[in-house]
Amino acid sequence: MFLRVLSEEHWPNPSLATAANHTSTISGPSGMKMTGPYTWVPPNYWMTDNARWGGAWGFLSEGGPGETLLEYPSLRRTLQEDDLWPIGDAWDFHCGRTRFSNLDYFNNALYARYGKAASAVDYTGRAQVAAFESVRAMFESFNRNKYISTGVIFWMLNNAWPSMIWHLYDYYLTPGSSYFAAKCANEPLHVQYGYDDHCVWVVPNTRDVTVGERSSVVATMYDTAGRTLFSATYNISIAVNPDMPFKVAPLPQLRPRGHVYFLLLTLLDNQSATESSNFYWLPTKPDVLNWNESNWWSTPCSSYADFTSLQDLPPVILQITWAADNRTNLANNATVYETEVVVTNPSQVIAFFIRFRLFDVRFSTPPILIPRAE
């Protein structure tokens, strides 16, 4: 019946009989897999999977790191004031069912890696950091492994009501860190770090973009005090085969105090203009996955990376300037108002994971977040 309906409706696209790893006696293997994960995994999961689970090989018809917490403004719109902290039944009510019915699995990893939270604001901030880290790594891994990993469908895009899991933007249309992670990893021309091989890569995500001669990648590593630990510039040219990922160079193994260091990657064109920029926080000891305990929904860790020293980063006062202007849209003669905001870090200290939000303070207390603000 399924094939008959497609024929009757003149469906123009190819169709598959299954989204899972099944083999037909007529057409052979489906080329698909539905192996998860559906809950949190560390960023090194995607490139170190042993070709059995949800890593960057084959076509993953649905999967993702699972917990993508509501940002605090959305959390306030969802829960009563008394339910905001500590985490309790009201939070669980906005999770899923069965093994996804609470945040316990995610919290074990979050607290071990980033330290325990003291409030709802603190908790949602740490959770956004963890979500960005894993979602970016998922898309970067599938893109870098293209033609071995033939596709991935992120589980999920959004939710039909306020949820603590499975979305790139939430019920209120507010993008969380996972949205920006996906946007970062899937840009047309992308510079990235390999969690499996500790190398710098350049990945074209469209045939329309090429890296010309005399392009370069700048890799700079910092410690938690903002001191430069390593910096190098690599001249590259991959115009011969512009559709294939290109390994630029291995990075040195560092052991700074605090178990954490930062990596800034910048891809420059032959005019020294920035084509891609990417920022990582990396542990001196990676997460260790326990593959023997893998299942359809996740792979647990036998030990976790230690990012707890991020809690000790000194506060930074950013300098913000802005200029407003307006112009006429010639298409409809409407006035378009524009404001350019420039944010500067005047100190040597890393201003880590800064999130900018645009609020409309006219109509709501607390003010409503304007969803499309980035």
Side-chain angles (χ1 to χ4, degrees), residues 210-260:
T210 61
V211 178
E213 295 181 3
R214 298 181 301 279
S215 296
S216 61
V217 172
V218 181
T220 308
M221 295 175 169
Y222 304 91
D223 65 12
T224 52
R227 295 183 291 255
T228 300
L229 302 173
F230 169 83
S231 186
T233 300
Y234 307 98
N235 296 319
I236 62 171
S237 175
I238 59 173
V240 175
N241 195 354
D243 193 43
M244 290 299 294
F246 177 76
K247 182 187 288 191
V248 177
L251 294 170
Q253 298 284 347
L254 299 181
R255 293 290 183 269
R257 290 181 297 175
H259 310 294
V260 181

Side-chain angles (χ1 to χ4, degrees), residues 21 106 133 169 203 207 210 291 370 372:
N21 183 18
F106 173 71
E133 182 191 21
Y169 57 88
V203 179
R207 287 181 176 271
T210 61
W291 295 106
I370 298 177
R372 295 186 62 186

Side-chain angles (χ1 to χ4, degrees), residues 158-174:
N158 65 331
N159 307 117
W161 84 321
S163 177
M164 307 294 179
I165 60 175
W166 299 338
H167 61 261
L168 294 182
Y169 57 88
D170 66 23
Y171 172 76
Y172 307 104
L173 306 183
T174 301

Side-chain angles (χ1 to χ4, degrees), residues 264-290:
L264 175 62
L265 299 175
T266 308
L267 173 63
L268 303 173
D269 66 14
N270 54 16
Q271 302 296 319
S272 297
T274 299
E275 292 197 278
S276 175
S277 181
N278 212 347
F279 185 80
Y280 295 83
W281 49 105
L282 299 171
T284 55
K285 284 181 56 180
D287 300 278
V288 178
L289 288 141
N290 185 355

